[in-house]
Amino acid sequence: MIKDKILVIGASGQIGVELTLALRKLYGNANVVASDLREENDLLKGSGPYVSLDVMNKEMLHVQVIRQNFTQIYLLAAILSATGEKNPNLAWSLNMQSLLNVLDIAREEKLYKVYWPSSIAVFGPTSPKENCPQQTIIEPTTVYGISKYAGEFWCNYFHQRFGVDVRSMRYPGLISYKSSPGGGTTDYAVEIFHEALEEKKYTCFLKPETYLPMMYMPDAIRGTIELMEAPADKISIRTSYNFSAMSFSPADIGNEIKKYIPEFSLMHNPDYRQAIADSWPKSIDDSIAQNDWGWKPEYDLQRMTKDMLNNLPAGRQV
Ligand code: NAD
Ligand code: AKB
């Protein structure tokens, strides 16, 4: 039996914090090493090993992998959609080179498994808006979407050509109360909860009827681990799986919050992120993930809203 030792790159980010904690529960604290360019997130402190690491420095990464006998890498470092539009060169460079560094090392060191997330941002204005299928017209218009789509084909290439067991899914916008999002177009769906509890008002950077695919973090973490634990012969998609839970607009989430905070007021001041959101599908068809490895979400908008309001520091029991 393989004794797994896991490296999480980008562990101080929105997903990294929760994924690291979940992996530590499963594999043991000492066997999951968190790493990031920025300092260790407070929620990780004391829960297991941490190393400061720049994924762009391939030699240093390679040394870590050999020294610590890593068998799996979860690569979460990236620049997301909104920040990417402000610095396209940097987004392309980090999002591509980090993946190529990890895939090369995985091939050379014969790592057992690699995880790398893609995004619904691969889809563009010419993709179907409703129940967007796995295989369809894909013409992304953001640098982030272009980098994710190219990355999907690198994953497929390293699997086909070198047998690297790299797995991926296209996350929708992720909502969590433990860690803050980092520069995405769907970040409003986290900010709105903080502002509703603290200020009783929020000005959203998207229009009220902008529907986007979304998911609550506990579902995303469970789904990620289920994908990684699935037997290899169940994995039919080696680019990146469509992955879905719910779809809502700023108006929908505002109305749901108002059920618990009636004085909450939602205003709108759309900015450059509106065009990004408008280029993405409203909902995603993830039937292949359902059929291949049994994916099923547990949270809808109602259940997620209750849980967020109950768990945020300024929250109330609802
Ligand atoms: P995040 O921005 O919160 O975290 C990314 C982390 O990577 C940060 O802590 C950052 O310091 C670190 N990082 C940046 N450059 C680095 C470098 N050179 N070396 C090491 N670490 C570096 O992002 P996130 O929301 O946690 O997203 C993680 C992954 O999931 C990304 O690939 C992202 O594209 C993907 N994703 C996220 C969402 C979402 O809604 N959060 C949706 C779809 C896909
Ligand atoms: C973003 O908005 O950039 C991310 C994503 C959907 O990839 N949340």
Side-chain angles (χ1 to χ4, degrees):
M1 189 173 140
I2 296 170
K3 178 148 180 3
D4 274 300
K5 180 127 189 232
I6 298 176
L7 174 65
V8 182
I9 302 172
S12 289
Q14 190 197 11
I15 301 169
V17 170
E18 298 205 34
L19 194 52
T20 301
L21 293 172
L23 289 169
R24 282 182 176 162
K25 255 191 194 159
L26 204 61
Y27 290 91
N29 287 352
N31 296 320
V32 180
V33 177
S35 74
D36 205 293
L37 200 54
R38 59 172 146 151
E39 61 185 23
E40 185 177 16
N41 187 290
D42 283 347
L43 292 171
L44 294 179
K45 283 184 181 154
S47 74
Y50 175 84
V51 290
S52 175
L53 190 147
D54 181 355
V55 67
M56 299 296 271
N57 187 335
K58 189 176 173 189
E59 271 176 43
M60 288 300 289
L61 176 61
H62 205 154
V63 167
Q64 283 287 346
V65 169
I66 293 171
R67 265 199 204 144
Q68 301 218 40
N69 288 318
F70 287 117
T71 59
Q72 297 192 42
I73 295 181
Y74 284 66
L75 170 58
L76 304 172
I79 289 179
L80 277 73
S81 60
T83 308
E85 291 312 289
K86 291 186 181 153
N87 198 339
N89 286 336
L90 185 66
W92 176 256
S93 155
L94 174 65
N95 295 0
M96 283 293 85
Q97 199 55 51
S98 60
L99 178 60
L100 289 172
N101 287 352
V102 167
L103 289 174
D104 256 343
I105 292 169
R107 171 176 63 89
E108 282 176 47
E109 300 309 324
K110 299 193 173 23
L111 292 194
Y112 176 46
K113 276 181 213 164
V114 173
Y115 178 73
W116 172 82
S118 182
S119 161
I120 53 121
V122 294
F123 298 114
T126 48
S127 303
K129 286 281 171 208
E130 305 284 353
N131 290 322
C132 189
Q134 178 74 38
Q135 268 140 359
T136 183
I137 299 171
I138 301 188
E139 297 178 322
T141 51
T142 61
V143 68
Y144 175 64
I146 299 169
S147 72
K148 288 295 182 187
Y149 200 39
E152 292 186 2
F153 284 96
W154 276 116
C155 291
N156 192 50
Y157 181 83
F158 270 75
H159 176 70
Q160 303 296 341
R161 175 139 187 222
F162 305 117
V164 175
D165 189 352
V166 49
R167 303 179 184 194
S168 176
M169 50 199 174
R170 296 168 174 161
Y171 287 135
L174 300 179
I175 295 138
S176 52
Y177 63 84
K178 288 189 185 158
S179 45
S180 305
T185 304
T186 58
D187 294 8
Y188 89 85
V190 179
E191 290 168 11
I192 195 170
F193 284 104
H194 289 269
E195 298 293 305
L197 286 164
E198 286 155 29
E199 307 292 334
K200 313 284 178 268
K201 61 180 186 199
Y202 175 62
T203 302
C204 182
F205 54 76
L206 298 181
K207 292 181 194 163
E209 299 307 327
T210 311
Y211 277 85
L212 287 172
M214 300 279 190
M215 184 178 288
Y216 197 34
M217 192 63 88
D219 271 343
I221 300 297
R222 183 175 53 81
T224 303
I225 290 174
E226 283 174 8
L227 168 69
M228 290 300 278
E229 299 281 300
D233 62 4
K234 295 274 179 204
I235 308 297
S236 70
I237 303 289
R238 287 293 180 170
T239 49
S240 187
Y241 277 97
N242 273 13
F243 185 53
S244 161
M246 60 180 113
S247 183
F248 58 77
S249 68
D252 289 343
I253 192 168
N255 288 334
E256 199 54 36
I257 290 172
K258 274 185 207 162
K259 288 185 187 166
Y260 305 101
I261 308 175
E263 65 274 36
F264 175 58
S265 119
L266 177 58
M267 292 150 291
H268 301 268
N269 186 14
D271 65 16
Y272 70 101
R273 289 169 280 193
Q274 185 66 48
I276 301 176
D278 288 343
S279 77
W280 292 347
K282 297 176 182 205
S283 58
I284 299 288
D285 172 0
D286 65 359
S287 47
I288 303 183
Q290 294 174 35
N291 293 335
D292 278 6
W293 43 276
W295 167 240
K296 199 169 183 290
E298 286 178 358
Y299 286 86
D300 58 12
L301 176 60
Q302 289 70 30
R303 192 167 169 216
M304 175 187 80
T305 303
K306 240 178 146 174
D307 206 63
M308 284 291 285
L309 294 174
N310 278 332
N311 282 295
L312 279 168
R316 43 174 86 179
Q317 293 299 308
V318 296

